[in-house]
């Protein structure tokens, strides 16, 4: 009797949860859009004639179906950044990793169910540099009718998409960088919700405005969609309470400055409790190079602003500007990045205490020999590159990794991505660039290597920054999984010492970790999702330099742990 009651209860709960889940359908027309910014008109690639693109609003448990019609002149894919894609790896989107691109004039329907994650994520193009303008918010609310936010209900919710703007066509900028084997030209502006803000020329009407009412609480869903820059974000005279990052709830964390790397999201509550007036919200770059020898590499040192305007105040007075951190404030960035902890509600996944596979992976810059197509590359010096464990990732050209994995096709990739760097040296010591014996390390090999994992393997990966050709913080993003950030530190990772600082109680859960400048981070994840999942630096320039690798996760023993075949309209090469 008790048993049949239990089965009935489970069945009802199942039907209940099914009834609450919806199918949410959208069509994305990707095409040219002419916009005016910084005193000139420019044709950009955009979704549905909007920049930024539409916000997708779903509940946990929903199935999202997005038909992407590519009317742009470029090969296109869309990635749903941070979505687990359980058994739907075919919908993940990175070009030549999980699919061939959607050619101009063609379409592909991405279909996936969102389970076990709530908060702010986003979507963006994952082909060439098109994500510069092809992006939008993806908001996941708690499952319909079941639970509320684990923090006071805000009066309003506001997506804040931080972006980066070039006056030139971004594909031209990337092509030029490739031809020379150097870094792309720096951007001309940063943006808030697609608008540059009135500190830039001709930008008064391209300034984002948020109207607030005294005493109300606003949930800011902040997304860093910039291509190549981590950012600091502040609002004059207002503090934040961070309640989630990367669609994972955090213990409330109070701060007046937010550091956010490309790929990351921060959900922050802001109470309109200042004297009614106008206040700037502002973002400027966090340049993570530690003590770079002069001259510093060029960077876009401009500031984007929006205006928080109290309804009761006269808008004629100039807004108050926040005191911003310096571009090089490693302390402010590390304070923010390292103080977050997970909320840990009952039912949340907990950090695994045992590890099946240990990896120590260097991440950093380097050089490769100029390719024949890099016509303007300096042969004697080589082309700028980036690598993980000294392997500079090569994207396949004839078949995506996932398709090759699924079909067992030979010759597309090898499953020998190394667990350790080829040599151990003083990774973060800038003298690596002057000691002749260490010079060969700046040359990386180029290959398409994956790390193969059995289903449900617990992986611990140490991401170790290097000083080769300069120290910098790399925002490392893993597709298909969230990971626990169990420790972070400076210098060279030393397991015995580091393990004492491991947080195995409430570590923050992320899909993108800003590896500390001249330091390391330890992440753990459970490979419970079959497919091929790229891990890469979310600085777009570094991804094109090869700062990437991929995990090949095998099927599990049951149909529920086996990747189904691709959908019928799956793009092939
Ligand atoms: Cu948001 Cu592979 O990236």
């Amino acid at each position: 009797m008790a048993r049949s009651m239990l089965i009935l209860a489970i069945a009802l709960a199942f039907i209940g949860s099914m009834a609450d889940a919806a199918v949410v359908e959208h069509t994305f027309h990707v095409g040219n859009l002419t916009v005016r910014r910084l005193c000139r008109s420019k044709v950009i690639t955009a979704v549905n004639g909007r920049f930024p693109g539409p916000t997708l609003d779903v509940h946990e448990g929903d199935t999202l179906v997005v038909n992407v019609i590519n009317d742009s002149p470029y090969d296109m894919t869309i990635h749903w950044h941070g979505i687990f894609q359980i058994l739907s790896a075919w919908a993940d989107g990175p070009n030549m990793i999980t699919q061939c691109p959607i050619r101009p004039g063609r379409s592909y329907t991405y279909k996936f169910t969102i389970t076990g994650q709530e908060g702010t994520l986003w979507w963006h193009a994952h082909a060439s540099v098109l994500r510069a303008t092809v992006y939008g918010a993806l908001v996941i609310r708690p499952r319909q009718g079941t639970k509320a936010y684990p923090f006071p209900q805000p009066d309003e919710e506001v997506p804040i998409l931080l972006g980066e703007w070039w006056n030139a066509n971004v594909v031209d900028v990337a092509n030029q960088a490739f031809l020379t084997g150097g870094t792309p030209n720096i951007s001309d502006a940063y943006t808030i919700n697609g608008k540059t803000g009135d500190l830039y020329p001709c930008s008064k009407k391209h300034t984002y405005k948020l109207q607030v009412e005294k005493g109300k609480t606003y949930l800011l869903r902040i997304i860093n969609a910039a291509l190549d820059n981590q950012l600091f974000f502040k609002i004059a005279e207002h503090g934040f309470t961070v309640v989630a990052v990367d669609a994972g709830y955090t213990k409330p964390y109070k701060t007046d400055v937010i550091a956010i790397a490309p790929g990351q999201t921060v959900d922050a509550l802001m109470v309109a409790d200042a004297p009614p007036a106008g206040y700037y919200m502002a973002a400027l770059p966090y340049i993570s190079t530690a003590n770079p020898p002069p001259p510093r590499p060029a960077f876009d040192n401009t500031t984007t602003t929006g205006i928080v305007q109290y309804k009761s105040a006269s808008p004629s007075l100039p807004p108050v500007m926040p005191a911003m951190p310096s571009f090089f404030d490693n302390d402010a960035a590390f304070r923010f990045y390292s103080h977050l902890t997970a909320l840990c509600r009952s039912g949340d996944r907990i950090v695994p205490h045992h590890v099946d596979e240990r990896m120590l992976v260097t991440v950093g810059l380097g050089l490769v020999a100029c390719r024949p197509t890099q016509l303007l590359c300096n042969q004697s010096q080589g082309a700028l590159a980036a690598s993980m464990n000294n392997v500079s990732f090569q994207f396949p050209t004839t078949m995506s990794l996932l398709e090759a994995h699924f079909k067992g096709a030979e010759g597309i990739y090898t499953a020998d991505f190394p667990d350790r760097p080829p040599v151990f040296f003083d990774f973060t010591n800038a003298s690596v660039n002057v000691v002749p014996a260490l010079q060969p390390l700046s040359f990386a090999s180029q290959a398409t290597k994956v790390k193969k994992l059995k289903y449900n393997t617990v992986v611990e990966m140490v991401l170790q920054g290097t000083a080769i050709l300069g120290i910098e913080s790399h925002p490392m993003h893993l597709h298909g999984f969230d990971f626990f950030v169990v420790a972070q530190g400076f210098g060279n990772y030393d397991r015995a010492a580091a393990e004492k600082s491991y947080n195995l109680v409430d570590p923050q859960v992320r899909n993108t970790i800003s590896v500390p400048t001249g330091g390391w981070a330890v992440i753990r994840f459970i490979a419970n999702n079959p497919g091929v999942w790229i891990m890469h630096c979310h600085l777009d320039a570094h991804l094109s330099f090869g700062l990437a690798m991929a995990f090949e996760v095998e099927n599990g023993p049951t149909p529920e742990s086996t990747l189904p075949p691709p959908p019928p309209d799956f793009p092939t090469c």
Side-chain angles (χ1 to χ4, degrees):
M1 180 58 195
R3 192 166 163 200
S4 58
M5 288 294 283
L6 182 66
I7 291 171
L8 181 68
I10 291 171
L12 284 174
F14 182 70
I15 292 166
S17 67
M18 291 295 285
D20 292 333
V23 175
V24 180
E25 292 190 60
H26 287 272
T27 302
F28 277 14
H29 286 275
V30 191
N32 285 344
L33 175 71
T34 305
V35 293
R36 254 195 105 71
R37 291 290 183 280
L38 306 180
C39 319
R40 67 195 85 196
S41 288
K42 183 190 165 191
V43 176
I44 61 168
T45 310
V47 169
N48 295 351
R50 292 165 57 181
F51 173 65
T55 296
L56 302 182
D57 213 317
V58 298
H59 290 88
E60 192 269 334
D62 288 354
T63 297
L64 194 50
V65 179
V66 185
N67 181 18
V68 175
I69 301 168
N70 183 13
D71 291 325
S72 86
Y74 304 110
D75 285 354
M76 179 61 55
T77 71
I78 304 284
H79 168 53
W80 319 91
H81 179 114
I83 296 282
F84 296 149
Q85 300 290 2
I86 308 279
L87 299 187
S88 56
W90 306 107
D92 191 40
N95 190 25
M96 297 314 294
I97 305 298
T98 60
Q99 66 168 96
C100 295
I102 311 168
R103 302 281 181 210
R106 308 296 285 266
S107 72
Y108 176 46
T109 300
Y110 294 86
K111 183 174 176 199
F112 50 92
T113 298
I114 296 154
T115 34
Q117 43 191 169
E118 295 172 19
T120 305
L121 292 174
W122 59 302
W123 54 267
H124 61 77
H126 211 304
S128 179
V129 282
L130 295 163
R131 77 174 178 84
T133 52
V134 178
Y135 63 83
L138 201 176
V139 174
I140 311 166
R141 297 166 193 290
R143 191 172 283 240
Q144 230 149 2
T146 51
K147 20 175 193 165
Y149 296 132
F151 48 81
Q153 180 70 27
D155 295 293
E156 254 183 72
E157 303 186 11
V158 189
I160 303 284
L161 292 114
L162 306 174
E164 193 166 2
W165 183 264
W166 277 259
N167 284 329
N169 177 312
V170 287
V171 174
D172 294 346
V173 171
N175 287 345
Q176 177 68 15
F178 177 79
L179 284 177
T180 60
T183 45
N185 288 344
I186 59 171
S187 51
D188 297 290
Y190 301 97
T191 55
I192 297 177
N193 291 337
K195 300 183 165 135
T196 48
D198 58 11
L199 302 188
Y200 294 97
C202 313
S203 296
K204 252 219 143 40
K205 63 175 189 222
H206 300 134
T207 302
Y208 170 67
K209 289 194 187 66
L210 174 63
Q211 298 264 332
V212 299
E213 262 176 73
K214 172 94 183 169
K216 289 202 164 167
T217 301
Y218 297 81
L219 174 61
L220 308 181
R221 298 178 175 276
I222 307 162
I223 298 165
N224 186 345
L227 276 195
D228 292 325
N229 280 280
Q230 305 196 32
L231 297 165
F232 287 123
F233 178 79
K234 277 187 90 169
I235 299 180
E237 306 299 325
H238 290 76
F240 306 111
T241 304
V242 175
V243 292
V245 295
D246 294 7
Y249 293 118
T250 60
K251 295 198 174 69
Y253 174 68
K254 284 194 190 314
T255 179
D256 64 355
V257 58
I258 285 170
I260 185 166
Q264 295 184 327
T265 72
V266 175
D267 290 2
L269 296 170
M270 181 204 79
V271 182
D273 57 3
Y279 298 92
Y280 274 125
M281 59 171 74
L284 55 67
Y286 159 44
I287 303 299
S288 60
T289 50
N291 311 315
R296 260 183 233 281
F299 66 95
D300 175 355
N301 63 1
T302 62
T303 303
T304 179
T305 51
I307 298 172
V308 175
Q309 181 66 47
Y310 280 65
K311 283 179 187 157
S312 50
S314 144
S316 56
L317 294 168
V320 182
M321 185 68 190
M324 298 301 285
S326 97
F327 302 119
F328 314 104
D329 198 337
N330 284 315
D331 295 338
F334 186 70
R335 201 177 312 125
F336 182 86
Y337 288 140
S338 64
H339 274 70
L340 300 164
T341 49
L343 183 59
C344 300
R345 299 180 300 167
S346 69
D348 283 352
R349 280 156 304 135
I350 50 172
V351 55
H353 284 219
H354 83 281
V355 170
D356 302 316
E357 289 265 4
R358 278 177 204 282
M359 304 174 75
L360 188 139
V361 179
T362 56
V363 293
L365 300 178
L367 295 165
V368 292
C370 297
R371 298 127 180 128
T373 45
Q374 293 185 292
L375 300 175
L376 305 174
C377 182
N378 181 332
Q379 299 290 339
S380 61
Q381 183 189 302
L384 201 50
S387 67
M388 296 176 75
N389 274 347
N390 227 34
V391 184
S392 185
F393 185 80
Q394 290 280 99
F395 283 81
T397 52
T398 55
M399 188 187 282
S400 70
L401 295 186
L402 185 61
E403 194 179 349
H405 155 80
F406 188 76
K407 291 183 171 159
E410 303 271 313
I412 306 294
Y413 63 88
T414 53
D416 57 349
F417 181 82
D419 290 340
R420 317 238 143 250
V423 207
F424 280 73
F425 57 99
D426 192 357
F427 298 114
T428 53
N429 187 333
S431 66
V432 294
N433 293 306
V434 289
V435 177
L438 292 171
Q439 294 270 346
L441 285 171
S442 35
F443 271 86
S445 65
Q446 293 176 265
T448 312
K449 291 182 188 297
V450 307
K451 165 78 180 172
K452 201 178 219 167
L453 297 172
K454 290 233 171 325
Y455 182 76
N456 262 343
T457 301
V458 176
V459 180
E460 178 178 289
M461 190 185 214
V462 178
L463 293 158
Q464 171 71 60
T466 78
I468 294 171
L469 301 188
I471 278 181
E472 190 171 349
S473 163
H474 298 278
M476 299 302 299
H477 170 49
L478 175 61
H479 286 219
F481 309 93
D482 279 350
F483 48 75
F484 299 91
V485 182
V486 300
Q488 305 181 61
F490 295 97
N492 298 318
Y493 174 78
D494 167 357
R495 184 165 158 197
E499 277 183 342
K500 298 196 185 88
S501 73
Y502 276 22
N503 178 353
L504 298 177
V505 179
D506 61 355
Q508 59 178 298
V509 178
R510 286 235 182 230
N511 62 54
T512 307
I513 168 83
S514 219
V515 179
T517 304
W520 47 268
V522 183
I523 63 169
R524 285 188 185 180
F525 70 96
I526 307 163
N528 57 0
N529 189 11
V532 179
W533 308 103
I534 187 172
M535 179 176 206
H536 64 88
C537 181
H538 217 286
L539 302 177
D540 201 80
H542 293 181
L543 172 57
S544 58
F545 288 157
L547 220 177
M549 55 82 69
F551 288 101
E552 177 182 31
V553 180
E554 294 176 350
N555 286 327
T558 61
E560 293 71 44
S561 55
T562 298
L563 181 69
D569 63 340
F570 185 65
T572 48
C573 286

